Amino acid sequence: MRFLAIAAVFAIAAASFSQNVSSVYNRDTHDPFKLKDVKVESTVFGPIVRTSTLLTFENPYTKLTEASLNFDLPEEAALGGFAYYYGDEYVKGQLMDKAKAWFIYTAITSRNRDPGIMEQVSPTSYHCQIYPLKVGSDLRVRLYTVGFLQPQENKLGLPAPQVGDARVPQDWSVRMADFNRIENGANLTLPMPEKPVTAVAQRFKDGRTYVAGMMRADPERLATGPELKILKAEYGLLERPSQVWDVTEKLSSLAKRRSLELQVYNQVFGGDPAPGIVKTLRVTYEQGGKTHTKVVPESALLQIGMINSGASPTPTFARLRDPKWVQLDDETIAFMGWVPSNRKIAVRHNGLRQAFRPQLAHKGSESARLWAQQKLAQGNWTSKKQVLNFSMKYGVPSAYTALLAVPQSEMKLFKAKEKEFQKEQQRQARQEREWAKQREQNWRSGRGGDPEIRVQFADAQSVDAVLPDGRVIPLELSNGTWGGNFDIPVAAPEGQYTVRVVAVKRDGTTEEKKLTYDVDRTAPEGKAEIRMIGGRRMLEVRSEAGLAEVAFYLADGSKMVLKEEEPGVYRLELARFISVKGTLVLKDSASNKREIPCSWPS
């Protein structure tokens, strides 16, 4: 199946901001927190800027309060970490599986303790919650980011954090790693490098050398042709208006002043409006006083208004493996990739080719994080596990990870309580299913584990279960029912198996019953589509009949269960004119689960 690790790209702040903190508010009253102070520490090496921002807000509340913080990063930047202060205690966020992080957060906040959690809403947007704030102490949050210097006419400037109306904080120190000096970041600009390419290389823990750089084309090489304006862009099944996305804004953001070139894939637009069907992109644009329309099928190359006598605005790279790039302005790109060891590489962009050897920087993960951020946002993924493992390896948040900040003492207490809770849950679950209502109940289908046997015999003095592999399991009597558990080997082939249950009566005679069960490890397949049925907009899923559950999970975590209206046909009514994006989960009686990412426009 095709799997997208990203949601549709949200509107973000201008690229000149390294961090745009859009809102910090009380989750109960939605009243904003008043900003008291911003302290910024940046380190510049080559074209890269590593920034630590400490935000301090007034906390006027005299009762337990939960705070929320939302902020954006430029497309080319990456989040390196998050921490907060509980009074004077510094609590640093740890990257982990998002589901686990929210479970821990909820469990600890229910005891009125103090965790903080930060999750990625889109590849450039983040949301943070902290509960509770310490009464009498300010709300203090620290953000760690890494990004690029920003072209500003003939100079380079630092990307300035923005918090509400405070765009450029006064308390901003910048360490120039190349020159070992400290500057005031609020007024700092750097001369444009003489060479068109500047790049740094860092050795990462996986043995690769990651490269992050910036290339600026000679403005004289750029064509002076007419401006390009995207008037209308639609993607999907053009003959079905309900399965067409308006992507005008997206293509306008990708277009340069005079050209646009891109490969037409679902991930370019943030999802798939018609899964399993080849779609079409139709673009209407204006250039040179004339209006044109281009229609391009999925997977094809769209080219509009090529510059410099046919030179492609899409950069190409030699010796740089798995390269990614982001447009900073009309003449400048930021690029990332990796090489086995620091070596000479080459970049061709806008008709200019430049070969160079990146400057070897101090050890660190900045270049790797910048590449990983683009890989997560632009790459194709086949499973949630792939995204999770990749995100954890490079320490970059994704759609399936979150940063959880919990004081060490609280985490130890949580783990101890979690073990106790799990043991108690297992004990209660076994009690509930053992000998309930004194009726026979036998495991029928599953992937493995410890299935249960419950069976009744009149006047029996002993009962044994003979397993398919010849093992004999003695059953125990409880409230007139004989029962027990046995293990299904993990490597047991799929298929049907028989268990012989033999009872020895008090008069010496025997009685035998046979129980069958299936080993099933194959997840159900399914196909989903939006249909109009009787004037109602329905999500329809076709799969095998009798599934244990078919559910659709929205991006906010809410769950909607589909009903089996016909054998193998599951339906759910959806509100009209609402864009739907989420994950479809099919689960069979053996608990095999299939996840299918889905998205449809309004």
Side-chain angles (χ1 to χ4, degrees), residues 399-410:
Y400 297 108
T401 53
L403 286 158
L404 180 68
V406 179
Q408 189 174 5
S409 58
E410 283 300 319

Side-chain angles (χ1 to χ4, degrees), residues 429-444 451-457 463 465 475-476 478 480-486 501 513 515:
R430 189 173 294 277
Q431 274 189 344
E432 290 175 0
R433 72 174 187 256
E434 281 180 352
W435 334 133
K437 300 181 181 179
Q438 300 184 16
R439 65 183 182 186
E440 296 186 14
Q441 180 175 329
N442 299 295
W443 182 77
R444 298 296 184 194
E452 185 176 40
I453 297 175
R454 292 212 308 269
V455 66
Q456 293 177 339
F457 288 98
V463 178
L475 305 184
E476 296 181 358
S478 177
T481 303
W482 295 86
N485 295 75
F486 63 95
V501 183
K513 294 183 178 181
L515 309 175

Side-chain angles (χ1 to χ4, degrees), residues 23-27 33 66-70 127-130:
S23 61
V24 183
Y25 59 91
N26 184 320
R27 280 181 59 83
F33 285 92
E66 184 173 23
S68 276
L69 181 147
N70 297 299
H127 171 77
C128 172
Q129 290 178 208
I130 300 173

Side-chain angles (χ1 to χ4, degrees), residues 45 66 194 248 267 271 405 421 451 566:
F45 46 100
E66 184 173 23
E194 294 181 3
T248 307
Q267 62 266 29
F421 177 77
E566 304 172 27

Side-chain angles (χ1 to χ4, degrees), residues 126 213 217 348 350 357 359-360 368 377 429 458 462 506 519 534 552 557 579:
Y126 299 84
R348 183 185 294 276
N350 282 330
R357 184 186 295 273
Q359 173 190 352
L360 192 61
S462 67
R506 298 186 184 279
V519 174
F552 189 71
S579 179

Side-chain angles (χ1 to χ4, degrees), residues 532-553:
M532 296 299 296
I533 301 177
R536 298 185 301 164
R537 185 177 182 230
M538 306 291 290
L539 169 58
E540 180 178 280
V541 177
R542 292 184 176 271
S543 183
E544 59 192 68
L547 291 178
E549 184 179 75
V550 178
F552 189 71
Y553 291 83

Side-chain angles (χ1 to χ4, degrees), residues 109-180:
T109 53
S110 67
R111 301 199 307 272
N112 291 332
R113 295 299 183 179
D114 49 338
I117 190 169
M118 178 171 288
E119 62 178 344
Q120 186 187 70
V121 180
S122 81
T124 56
S125 303
Y126 299 84
H127 171 77
C128 172
Q129 290 178 208
I130 300 173
Y131 177 83
L133 306 183
K134 188 172 184 178
V135 176
S137 296
D138 291 332
L139 166 61
R140 292 190 291 166
V141 179
R142 187 176 289 277
L143 304 175
Y144 299 91
T145 60
V146 57
F148 287 86
L149 296 174
Q150 299 295 323
Q152 297 176 0
E153 296 182 351
N154 295 323
K155 295 182 179 180
L156 292 175
L158 269 69
Q162 177 170 339
V163 187
D165 296 330
R167 176 175 176 180
V168 181
Q170 295 302 310
D171 191 353
W172 185 6
S173 63
V174 180
R175 189 173 75 89
M176 309 297 295
D178 296 341
F179 306 102
N180 196 26

